[in-house]
Amino acid sequence: MENWYEVMYNTRLDKLVLRKPRIRGKIVRKIRKHKLISLIIFITILFSILNITLIINFFKILQNI
């Protein structure tokens, strides 16, 4: 059983219940499981930001001419 650390005692229900998984935890697990896909997505976002920055700077240079 891999979710043993997510068990907590609910005093109102008087029984053990599983915690709701957090969104951040889900994302971290997905990134750890799919490292190559995560790396590709990260590099794509990084290059997109770099590309936009270079285009904006190019237009600024053109306006100064």
Side-chain angles (χ1 to χ4, degrees), residues 2 4 10-13 17-18 23 26-27 30 40-41 43 46 50 55-56 65:
E2 65 183 53
W4 63 271
N10 190 335
T11 54
R12 280 189 271 152
L13 298 176
V17 292
L18 288 175
I23 294 175
K26 286 182 183 179
I27 293 171
K30 293 282 185 183
I40 291 170
I41 291 171
I43 290 173
L46 182 71
L50 180 66
I55 290 171
I56 289 171
I65 293 179

Side-chain angles (χ1 to χ4, degrees), residues 29-41:
R29 274 189 238 127
K30 293 282 185 183
I31 289 172
R32 286 183 184 159
K33 188 174 182 182
H34 305 286
K35 290 181 182 178
L36 181 63
I37 295 172
S38 301
L39 181 67
I40 291 170
I41 291 171

Side-chain angles (χ1 to χ4, degrees), residues 6 10 13 15-17 22 26 40-41 45 53 61:
E6 294 179 359
N10 190 335
L13 298 176
K15 66 179 184 177
L16 292 174
V17 292
R22 295 180 182 164
K26 286 182 183 179
I40 291 170
I41 291 171
I45 291 171
T53 306
I61 292 171

